[in-house]
């Protein structure tokens, strides 16, 4: 079948479907809560604040001292108390 007006036979159907999808997408998007990652981060920060972590490496070389420095920096960011013990106790 040829289309006399030059329109695709499914043109009106696809435009209507697109409009319905845009409407439901716009109305459903406003009812959602905040970003789930931000909500999870808040729960994580509340759960770990004030906790303590003890770290006793097997030996203290260059790699272990750098690892210790990075762990301390990250734990300090989240309010976790970091305790380091010398392996030569």
């Amino acid at each position: 079948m040829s289309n006399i007006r030059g329109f695709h036979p499914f043109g009106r159907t696809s435009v209507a479907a697109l409009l319905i999808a845009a409407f439901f997408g716009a109305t459903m998007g406003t009812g959602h809560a905040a970003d789930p990652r931000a909500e999870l981060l808040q729960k994580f920060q509340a759960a770990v604040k004030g906790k303590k972590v003890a770290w006793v490496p097997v030996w203290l070389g260059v790699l272990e001292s750098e690892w210790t420095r990075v762990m301390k920096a990250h734990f300090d960011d989240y309010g976790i108390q970091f305790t380091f013990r010398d392996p030569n106790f």
Side-chain angles (χ1 to χ4, degrees), residues 56-87:
V56 182
V58 176
W59 67 85
L60 194 58
V62 176
L63 179 63
E64 290 76 23
S65 62
E66 182 65 18
W67 184 288
T68 302
R69 184 190 65 78
V70 171
M71 282 195 312
K72 181 171 176 17
H74 285 245
F75 288 146
D76 286 343
D77 290 343
Y78 293 112
I80 301 171
Q81 296 175 350
F82 181 73
T83 303
F84 170 75
R85 300 289 183 219
D86 186 5

Side-chain angles (χ1 to χ4, degrees), residues 9-67:
F10 297 109
R12 290 184 182 163
T13 307
S14 61
V15 169
L18 204 78
L19 288 173
I20 290 170
F23 173 75
F24 282 118
T27 57
M28 291 177 74
T30 58
H32 290 289
D35 183 22
R37 290 182 293 171
E39 189 177 320
L40 185 61
L41 180 62
Q42 288 176 351
K43 289 180 181 179
F44 169 76
Q45 288 174 339
V48 300
K49 189 167 184 82
K51 301 290 184 183
K52 293 182 181 181
V53 173
W55 167 244
V56 182
V58 176
W59 67 85
L60 194 58
V62 176
L63 179 63
E64 290 76 23
S65 62
E66 182 65 18
W67 184 288

